[in-house]
Amino acid sequence: MRLSTPRIPPLPKAEWNDEVRGLLPSDRTPLNICTTLVRHPALFKRWTVFGGYILSRSTLPARERELLILRTGYRCNSGYEFHQHTRIGLDSGLTQDEIKRLTQPLSGWSDADTALLQAADELHDDQMITDQTWAKLRERWDEKALLDILFVVGQYTLVSMVLNTLGVQTEDGSKGFPT
């Protein structure tokens, strides 16, 4: 983690009111990101709708979505984001080796994966995808998927900025990146 303590700590369960209880899951312990952001219930409620679309309803297959999220989390130096999505990535078909390779310069990926990862890197570095990378993406993805690619990287850049700035800590105390 970039900060060793949170700037805005998670909201303790003893301080949850009815509105907060209605926004957080009742069947499991909510993640620190949720118990931190729920301090602003109106924002949290709307962010979770958008984030829910990106995470589970976009046109991208789960594996490709997780490639984009993990690469973005890594490029944004967000240990929390990388940590949370390592498990999701494994559940989505990524291997432990692929996840580790996401923290390295691009090489050894298929052409399709390289295009996605290059897009994430270009959006991170220049906030725009080059014509060359765009052409490679268009070979495989339709317009809806191309828009989803942009919004996945944008959403997880935003989330990484928030996590880094607030110092949200992983639930298990890990640093988030593979060693």
Side-chain angles (χ1 to χ4, degrees), residues 12-131:
K13 192 168 189 171
E15 295 179 29
W16 295 4
N17 60 26
D18 288 341
E19 181 180 26
V20 168
R21 278 190 287 282
L23 293 171
L24 295 172
S26 59
D27 60 336
R28 60 181 159 59
T29 301
L31 298 173
N32 287 343
I33 184 175
C34 295
T35 54
T36 300
L37 298 183
V38 79
R39 287 179 173 278
H40 188 334
L43 174 70
F44 181 77
K45 185 184 306 184
R46 282 140 188 95
W47 171 73
T48 56
V49 170
F50 180 67
Y53 169 80
I54 295 296
L55 189 58
S56 61
R57 293 180 201 87
S58 84
T59 61
L60 299 175
R63 180 186 177 279
E64 284 75 4
R65 179 197 68 230
E66 291 304 315
L67 282 173
L68 290 167
I69 293 170
L70 284 160
R71 184 66 173 191
T72 299
Y74 169 70
R75 292 296 311 276
C76 292
N77 197 21
S78 178
Y80 185 96
E81 193 60 48
F82 201 92
H83 174 74
Q84 290 300 337
H85 280 272
T86 292
R87 178 188 48 79
I88 298 169
L90 290 168
D91 290 345
S92 299
L94 292 173
T95 67
Q96 194 67 51
D97 179 62
E98 287 174 318
I99 290 170
K100 187 173 182 177
R101 285 179 29 226
L102 287 166
T103 67
Q104 300 165 1
L106 296 182
S107 68
W109 296 94
S110 70
D111 290 345
D113 288 349
T114 297
L116 284 173
L117 297 171
Q118 187 65 40
D121 285 356
E122 290 173 5
L123 287 167
H124 176 81
D125 294 341
D126 193 37
Q127 294 72 56
M128 183 176 170
I129 296 174
T130 63
D131 288 343

